[in-house]
Amino acid sequence: MNVLKDNKDLACFYTTKHSWRGKYKRVFSVGTHGITTYNPTTLEVTNQHILLLNLHLSNCSINPTSFPYLNRYNCYKHHWSDTRRTVGLEVTPGGIDQIDPHTNRVICSYDYRSVEGFAEVSDYQGGFCILYGGFSRLVSVSVWVFGHHCDRSRIFYVAINRKTDVIFVLLQVFALICDAENPQVFTIEFIRGQIRKYCSTERDSLMASLLDGVRASGNRDVCVKMAPTQRGQRWGLLSMPVDEEVESLHLRFLAAPPNGIFADAVFRFNANISYSGVLHAVTQDGLFSENKEKLINNAILALLSQDAELAGPNAELEAQFQAIRRLVASKAGFQAFTQLPKFREKLGVKTVKALKRNNNGVTHAAIDMLCALMCPMHDDYDLRQEQLNKASLLSSKKFLENLLEKFISNVEHGTGALVISALLDFLTFALCAPYSETTEGQQFDMLLEMVASNGRTLFKLFQHPSMAIVKGAGLVMKAIIEEGDKEIATKMQDLALSEGALPRHLHTSMFTVSADQRMLTNRQLSRHLVGLWIAENPVAMNLLKRILPTGLLAYLDSSDAVPEKDVDRMHIRDNLKIATDQFGRNKVPEWQRIAGKAAKEVEKFAKEKADLVLMHWRDKMGIAQKEVSFVWLWLLSFMQFPSGSANVCLSAVAWFLTRQNPNMVTNKRVSNSNYITQKTKSVNVCTHKNAKGQDIVQRSVLGPVLPEAMVCYLENYEAERFSEIFLGEFDTPEAIWSSEMRRMMIEKIAAHLADFTPRLQSNTRALYQYCPIPVVSFPQLDSELFCNIYYLRHLCDSNRFPNWPIRDPVKLLKDTLEAWKREVEKKPPSMSVDDAYEVLNLPIGQGQHEESKIRKAYFRLAQKYHPDKNPEGRDMFEKVNKAYEFLCTKSARIVDGPDPENIILILKTQSILFNRHRQELEPYKYAGYPMLIKTITMETGDEQLFSKTSPLLPAASELAFHTVNCSALNAEELRRESGIEVLLEALSRCVAVLTASSKPEDMAVQVCGHICKCYSVAAQFEECREKIIELPNIIRDVCHILYYGKVLPRLCSLSVQCVSSFAVDFFLQTHLYHAGVLWHLLVNLFNYDYTLEESGVQTSQETNQQEVANSLAKLSLVALGRLGGYRETVGPPPENPTVRKSLAAMLTPYVARKLGTSTPVLKLLNSNSENPYLIWNNGTRAELLEFLEAQQESNVKRGECDKSFGAEFVFSEHGKELIVGEIFVRVYNEQPAFPLEYPKAFAASLLDYVGSQAQYLHTLLAMTQTNKVESQQHAQRLRWAEMALEALRNVIKNNPGSETECINHFKLLFSLLRVHGAGKVQQLALEVHTHTHILREERHKTQCTPTTVFYTFRLCRLNSNSACEYIYAEHFKQQKDNPDVNWKMPEDFTVPYAAGQGELEVGGVFLRIFIAQPGWVLRKPREFLVSLLETLTELLEKNNPNGEALETVTTAAVCLFSTQTQLADQVPPLGHLPRILAALNHKNNAIPKSSIRLIHVLSDNELCVRSMAALETIGPLMTGMKVRADMAGLACEALNRMFQREQSDLVAQALRVELVPYLLKLLEGVGLETLDNPSATKAQIVKALKSMTRSLQYGEQVNEILSRSTVWSAFKDQKHDLFISESQTAGYLTGMKCFIYVWAISHVLPSPRHISEY
């Protein structure tokens, strides 16, 4: 059928259609063009009817005669303020209208559909009330007659209860809509269809309070979202919940969208399902009932399958999180979080990706969803499930750190009130009682510590306008103080005083009087906080003593009962009651309880019988009674345990281990794994022998059969885990077991029982003659070393098992030390194989005998010489046992002496222990130093050290480092055991073999690295440093390693760290200095490449050699700083003047001082720079490198180097410059505005230099006139004197306050004015005079004359000439009578200044003066910012604004953001960015110019760029560039800044509006014809285009467009760094104007003769 085009559904209803085919469901829709019915399962149109007549009520009129009851009454309306006013009341066909009698305008209407009834009012005669609004809102009306129009009197009365009115409105709210485009606009949707739009600069804070108020009123179905609700997507009224079938259909829509659009299915789901959760979420009883849990799970999986990284609107992602929130708010969804596979992982990934979008709406929806998982939103919930959900959500510390970082960022910038509110809810559910009772203890402590470390942030929230946020911050603060330790509580108490929180909450707790439950809750919370803050806090108590009366404070300590009893408003949930109710619901039925009781009686009887049977056996074996399963007691009843229990145990073990078909003795449904598990439990009873203190393997009856690891595994883990190992294939540090080993074990056991099996078949009562089974030797374990419960070879394999858990590190360390001792003390066996054969009467010389023959021989002799049968044969019996054990154990295969491979494994294991478990092992002193030092000594002295296949020295030296690094006790112990000297011998031995061809994997390189690390740690202890000072060869070898920095950079890095550690001592600094360490460290600095880090590419030292070089350069920089005493990183290094002198000579004093700061020195040294402090280029760098490499080579090979160690090094290029006070005077004169570190010191140095040249200049006065001053002979010296004077003028001019250094030098400066013939010297001296206010200084030293008074007044630039003249005349008269009188300002003197007439003032600031002095400290910067932006946006929105005012306000805003950059963070929350961007499309071309200037300065702020990325920015900006071509350069510079922030949304906008072709057109010169300097504009265009190409997401598209352009090829390889950016302001106006003013008055100064007339 033909579907109506452009038909939009306005209202839909889920109905039942009755037709000739029967009854079936349909969706009935009323649309803009017709009525439509849809199939509810597919949303296909089944019928459609066109509306032929559109009714518009506004255009149709109703004839009063057609409605006979239409009437109007004159009445009085009684207001709630007890005033009355005349109104009209008119009864209409649709309701009752209130009419203004003067204008006949309808004031309000009361529709009949909302009228609940009428009631009489007793207080007003003849009055009645209208119950209106759906919630019985009271509107009472009383009417009486006026004149002849009516026959009786009536009064109209409206009584509105303010509180009732608020609740009435909040209960009717359906949703809150945040405008995504305009950050000031939000909309409220009501359940009756009304939509109200509002605007506020504090929108988010207002919405947070509004949302809290709505939910506090009982309306839990309200949410905040970006997209408005589409009424056509809801199948029913907003005021009524949809029925169960509609919910089920929309759950299916999520799993399979009917129209194929998933976003549409999500929006439909959110429009129909309440925000508080699915109402019908439990499967009903019935044969054909729907499985609601399955529907909810499928819907959740469908939502989680959507990738959050896909480029899509934020509103869609927000809707997905809100849909998940609706699902998990139900009981089935809440439980699915831990029960549904992959739910947690997918939700975590989706949430993390969503948070990276940095959109407040998406972030709020995601965190609100997490809160629904933290605390159940449904009734009848399970506390255990809540605990499981929390444990999963709080398991990732990194995720929690990201949430707290987002929380702190929003609080610091005053943004995201909704996000802050949601995060506070998250923290409340995790930390605050009673919700914290279901939080895991370890996770609770971790999160509490993380939040407490940012306690100051919470105090900032106490000033927040939202009451909900203040409450949430208070609850979290209460939890921190109550649950944290004393140190945290004390810190919070101090912050409460310093942040002013205590007085604020004291006021709230004492003076809050309200009936609002939220206000009462906040009052109760404030009382708790005040009590916590003043507890044991004398400072707070002193404050209260100054605030409160003494009697009131004394009453707090009285024993009287509290006068007011308040209900607990914070602990709104009783977990104990919930758990009790849940237990009652889950109570076991009576019949099950009786049956269970009977079963327990039977089990008890069987256990008692089994105890009687096993009692004698337990006593004999020395084993305590254990709990045995009833089932296995029943199974064990089939086994007969005679008094000789050992043979029974072994036969039982053999019986269950050798069964090939477990189903023969168990139920067929029992698997092999279960069978082995059950048998292991039963046999585990007899896995001990009587010998206490022996190894578990020796005590276990399974020891000879299974490997040691398997027996330990059975002891340490449950039988179920053992069964998994036994039946599987495992190769781990705790278990090596395979099917081949299992087959071999079965064959050995079967062979051992070969004689007994036939006898048992013939006689079931045959007794097993005990014979120990020989130890089964597994070839797979021949090369393994087992210690404690681990195979050390696997444990040390960091590639396969990098972080294998160690159960008891202390026990393992002790066992490894014992194993080490046994290994080094290993001796050859005392018995040979032939000797054993001879004892057992076996033939010798026939090779190795089979185990069966050995066993028979042993059994025959053991019976013969057993002490019970032959008391004289005890000695022989022991020999037989010893020979049998020797042949059956590994003793026969022991090699002669210690095994180096085993020792290496033992050493590596200890290193792993000290590295991973430092805290556990720190209190213990290492007991293995004697063996370790002996090992290192033997290895060092071995001539075959470097040709060994298994050298011990690398592992031993590494262990030495890890032990010292673990504990200070070990460092001192190593020193006492002469370990530092032994390590030096090893280091010298290995350093001697280092060459340029050495590789990192060489043994010598590894040993040097470990020993350097060991010395680095040892240098932290004073006694160890003294020992190192006594051994100068350590310094020599460490410096020698630095020579190989290019071939062994990682080893060199360790050596540099060692140098940094040594630098903590002055004598070690001096030794390193004389060893030539500076040559090596300085060379490393120039291998740094700063472009690698600035590129933003992720690199690794494993694959990138330049990254290694950069790391070495950074470490060398730190070492140099510590050697000179500049840096304080690990410990405070002493200042070393000698080292500082050398560094200042080779690096210049400016760079040397930077070694102690965070300035990027490495980038400075590896790039060209020229400023007053530094002249650094390729020439100076090459000259220094050549010198360093020569000294490095000479020092290493010949032991010689520069005697001054670089302190006398001078750059050839610097020798041509005049350097005064460490400043290049020529460069400073070229850059006079350069900020100086110490301008006064520089001015003093210049005066000293000029003074040193004064004699030379005065000597020139005595020369003859033929010898001119400017002669070639004195040109250089004179030119330097002129440069010094010029620099003195500049430093005084640009650094106020430095002129004070001229005091006591005026004689020198005046003398320079008499140097005739040197005009420039005289001119510069006079300029110095001008800027130092010499006359003012002279007035204080000499008699004050009228001339100086007049000149001083002129220099002071007073505003009133008349005041100046009056003071001057008065002083002149006094001076005529008394020449010695000094001038003094009258105490009552005031100057009648003008009252700022004609000045433009905004926010209490004169803009003209502010522009002249933008660095002025504002009293209220934020208020000024708000007023300035309001004024600017109002001017931008006018059609013809005042041009001068617009320019002034714009310039003021630019100056404000340029000087106080932090204020730009406040612009996005104020919501002015959309208005500024909209002004770019203005027809008046002056307005786009102002907008571009403002966008340019805001583009330097990350928050502003992020906000502009969320708006439509590029299109309007391009429009502004077209209107104002002269601003194209400024706009392109702004684009360059924005694109460099990696905002992909901005690049996407640029591609959408075709910005790239437009900029390429400008590069061709089209549109730039009118510009004076088009080259600079083109330079900015090229930078902007290059920034776009760096976009990770859209860079390829931009490059593709550029590659098609012919003009781009001419610009792409050019560098435009030398083009200076266009400055928006000419600079501070005060400097130049002041100079012109003073210079002018020096020319018009009247002579003394004129003064008398004046």
Side-chain angles (χ1 to χ4, degrees), residues 1571-1584:
L1571 300 185
D1572 297 334
N1573 187 10
S1575 300
T1577 302
K1578 291 181 180 180
Q1580 298 297 341
I1581 293 173
V1582 172
K1583 289 183 179 180

Side-chain angles (χ1 to χ4, degrees), residues 711-731:
V711 179
C712 294
Y713 207 93
L714 178 60
E715 178 71 14
N716 296 320
Y717 296 96
E718 297 293 333
E720 289 80 0
R721 295 279 299 275
F722 174 80
S723 65
E724 295 178 7
I725 298 289
F726 185 79
L727 296 176
E729 303 275 342
F730 284 85
D731 190 18

